[in-house]
């Protein structure tokens, strides 16, 4: 019924509870989940989870915030994407939220890393998982300059404006909403979600972070993605069942899930 399009089951706090999490996913009718890679050092663990469990899938990439980690080449990313359980490149993108005294000009290393991921996605024919925070204009610009629309993908854990969402959709991308949609102070984001076409939406947990209400402040899990679905269904004026069917079909189409 449901698919969690973005989670981090390789992170220690979730990996240590994996049997329980998988059982809770089954009970909650969460049929599949995509385990997102954030460093090349983590890739074997992420891919291993997907290999060991039929309902899990993986990505390959380096999160824009991660420093002092191995910097992949296009060839390394393409090689990692050859595994049939690896369905996307990322998460990648730009994040200017924590500049730590640096200027945006100083973040050229992030933009170059992002370009590498886009080139890899185009070369291997798999979609991009995009992270953007306080950097929407540059994220869209770099995607356009590198022909990112040829790869497609998803803007995950979306928190930007309707204008950014519609620009992403115009480029052929999907937009994914997380538990933030359920937070009391997120009315502006709910207003954005209400404006977007259902056939371009995904749902996610981004677990172990951002647990939806009524679990806010606790460890998040893919089993909680139905709460995101319920919030989005209410905004779109459809049943949870219809929302689940549409977002799951969108996810399978984007990532080529069996």
């Amino acid at each position: 019924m449901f698919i969690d399009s973005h989670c981090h089951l390789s992170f220690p706090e979730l990996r240590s509870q994996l049997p329980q999490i998988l059982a809770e996913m089954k009970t909650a009718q969460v049929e599949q989940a995509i385990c997102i890679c954030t460093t090349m050092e983590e890739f074997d663990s992420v891919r291993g989870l997907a290999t060991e469990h039929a309902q899990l899938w993986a990505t390959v990439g380096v999160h824009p915030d991660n420093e002092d980690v191995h910097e992949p080449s296009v060839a390394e990313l393409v090689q990692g994407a050859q595994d049939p359980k690896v369905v996307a490149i990322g998460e990648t993108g730009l994040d200017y939220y924590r500049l730590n005294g640096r200027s945006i000009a100083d973040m050229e290393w992030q933009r170059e890393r992002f370009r590498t991921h886009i080139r890899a996605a185009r070369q291997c024919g798999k979609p991009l998982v995009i992270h953007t925070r306080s950097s929407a204009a540059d994220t869209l610009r770099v995607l356009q300059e590198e022909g990112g629309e040829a790869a497609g993908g998803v803007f995950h854990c979306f928190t930007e404006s309707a204008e950014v969402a519609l620009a992403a959709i115009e480029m052929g991308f999907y937009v994914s909403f997380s538990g933030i949609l359920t937070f009391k102070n997120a009315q502006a984001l709910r207003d954005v979600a209400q404006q977007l076409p259902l056939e371009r939406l995904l749902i996610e947990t981004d677990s172990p972070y951002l647990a939806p209400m009524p679990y806010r402040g606790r460890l998040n899990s893919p089993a909680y993605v139905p709460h995101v679905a319920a919030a989005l269904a209410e905004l779109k004026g459809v049943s949870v069942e219809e929302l689940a069917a549409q977002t799951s079909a969108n996810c399978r189409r984007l990532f080529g899930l069996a």
Side-chain angles (χ1 to χ4, degrees), residues 93-112:
L94 300 174
D95 193 322
Y96 299 160
Y97 183 71
R98 296 181 185 89
L99 292 175
N100 295 323
R102 295 171 291 192
S103 69
I104 289 174
D106 293 331
M107 306 305 282
E108 183 60 24
W109 61 273
Q110 270 197 12
R111 293 185 286 276
E112 282 305 308

Side-chain angles (χ1 to χ4, degrees), residues 53-68:
H53 302 281
Q55 70 271 50
L56 302 182
W57 305 84
T59 71
V60 57
V62 181
H63 190 289
D65 251 351
N66 283 330
E67 301 185 54
D68 301 318

Side-chain angles (χ1 to χ4, degrees), residues 145-159:
E145 289 174 356
E146 293 292 335
E149 65 273 12
V154 57
F155 277 58
H156 105 93
C157 195
F158 194 81
T159 56

Side-chain angles (χ1 to χ4, degrees), residues 11-31:
F11 285 13
E13 57 267 51
L14 295 181
R15 185 75 183 251
S16 64
Q17 301 180 36
L18 190 61
Q20 178 184 343
I21 288 170
L22 294 177
E24 291 172 349
M25 284 172 59
K26 186 174 182 180
T27 299
Q29 297 182 280
V30 181
E31 297 172 349

Side-chain angles (χ1 to χ4, degrees), residues 186-199:
Q187 186 57 49
L189 185 62
R190 287 188 285 273
D191 292 342
V192 171
Q194 205 165 27
Q195 299 177 53
L196 305 182
L198 188 53
E199 61 270 18

Side-chain angles (χ1 to χ4, degrees), residues 99-139:
L99 292 175
N100 295 323
R102 295 171 291 192
S103 69
I104 289 174
D106 293 331
M107 306 305 282
E108 183 60 24
W109 61 273
Q110 270 197 12
R111 293 185 286 276
E112 282 305 308
R113 177 187 287 174
F114 188 22
R115 292 180 191 278
T116 296
H117 283 69
I118 298 168
R119 292 165 188 169
R122 293 190 61 188
Q123 188 169 321
C124 70
K126 292 191 175 179
L128 290 154
V129 176
I130 302 293
H131 170 107
T132 183
R133 192 176 188 191
S134 303
S135 58
D138 272 3
T139 300

Side-chain angles (χ1 to χ4, degrees), residues 19-74:
Q20 178 184 343
I21 288 170
L22 294 177
E24 291 172 349
M25 284 172 59
K26 186 174 182 180
T27 299
Q29 297 182 280
V30 181
E31 297 172 349
Q32 295 173 304
I34 300 177
C35 301
I36 304 297
C37 184
T38 62
T39 67
M40 296 306 292
E41 290 85 347
E42 178 195 21
F43 176 56
D44 283 344
S45 176
V46 176
R47 177 171 54 182
L49 285 170
T51 301
E52 294 163 17
H53 302 281
Q55 70 271 50
L56 302 182
W57 305 84
T59 71
V60 57
V62 181
H63 190 289
D65 251 351
N66 283 330
E67 301 185 54
D68 301 318
V69 296
H70 177 68
E71 203 68 57
S73 65
V74 170

